[in-house]
Amino acid sequence: MTTTAAPASAPGAIEQRYFIVSADCHVAEPPDLWETRIDGRFRSRLPRIEVDASGQKWSVVEGHRPVRVRDLKLEGEDLERSKAGSRDPEERLRDHARDGIDAEVIYPNRGLAMWASPDPLMQAAMCRVWNDWAIELFRGYEQRMAPVAAVAPADVEGAVAEVQRAAKLGYRGVFLPVQPLGTAPPTERRPGYHLPQFEPLWTAIEETGMPISFHVGTGKDPRTASGNGGAVINYVVHALSTAIEPVVQLCASGVLERHPRLRFVTVEAGIGWLAWTLWAADEGYHKHHWAVSPRLPLLPSEYFKRQGWATFGDDPMGIDTMAYFGGAEKILWGNDYPHHEGTWPHSAEVIERTMGHLPIVDRRKVLGLNAAKLYGFNVPPELQSA
Ligand code: MN
């Protein structure tokens, strides 16, 4: 179960073993998962591919403009990644063994679009389908695989019920979209997580003890830009950087003061922005003191250090600046298997390149011990500390 694929760069170490958790993995759902399982009244409204008279394929999602589907010509490892992410746990274990991974936290793949509809009830119905399916799929693999429950906060009352149901089903994490309305098109008034209407949700999540995940790609339509540079603009601006908002919302609003046992994790957003974000949040708290409400016992950065975490894959800037946001305690590594942004199947090289200089005790935390604590994986005794 343990691995030797990870770096052996500790001073004097010939072979160093770690317990490695990828805190950010994905599973490819069956193509007809939602079509076959969703409440009948929502079926005709599901996201779908339509083919026009000229044979062009379009991705159709309610509330969004249709997006042209391009047939990608992938080769080599790109092609391999596009086909990986198996829903056969044994096949996943084989893929993880190649990459040196012992355990994983699992997110949807197509299901990242569960929060695309402007209708909160549609979102909630799609989330229930995922929640019914994912926990059953990984039943019996609890020490290797922890899928997270998807919840649609736009309908707060429904979200509270789903959080409670998810905890009973055996989930160990709650996936909320980066924005409460998810990737639904902007409305006049977009609610934020700092607003009091979400109070019952925080209470319910806190009671279950499950950490919240804000996985990127769910804060706005991550395909907002098109044309020159669009792919890069979408990745940096419309996917990754959206994670700043829920962090500041929770850390500056009093939510974490009222809910001291609530824990949250940004997922796949990287960590290089955290030092600056928390600095700016504290600066705003001090320098705009005449406008700041509520006044809180702790600074925004201190709430993050108490209750926030962040995952990353390959982010040397974040490693260099981690002392500013709480250090190795606060970050979780993930390979984003099998996505193209991720490090699978070359994680050992990336870990060595970005974390080879860290003390072994820090690497142990970042690579697995922090995630094991948050999501309840058992760590072999010999790998519990440096
Ligand atoms: Mn991911």
Side-chain angles (χ1 to χ4, degrees), residues 24-26 107 112 215-216 267-268 336-337 339 341:
D24 175 18
C25 286
H26 296 266
Y107 292 85
L112 289 170
H215 188 290
V216 299
V267 182
E268 208 188 312
D336 200 28
Y337 166 86
H339 286 170
E341 312 75 35

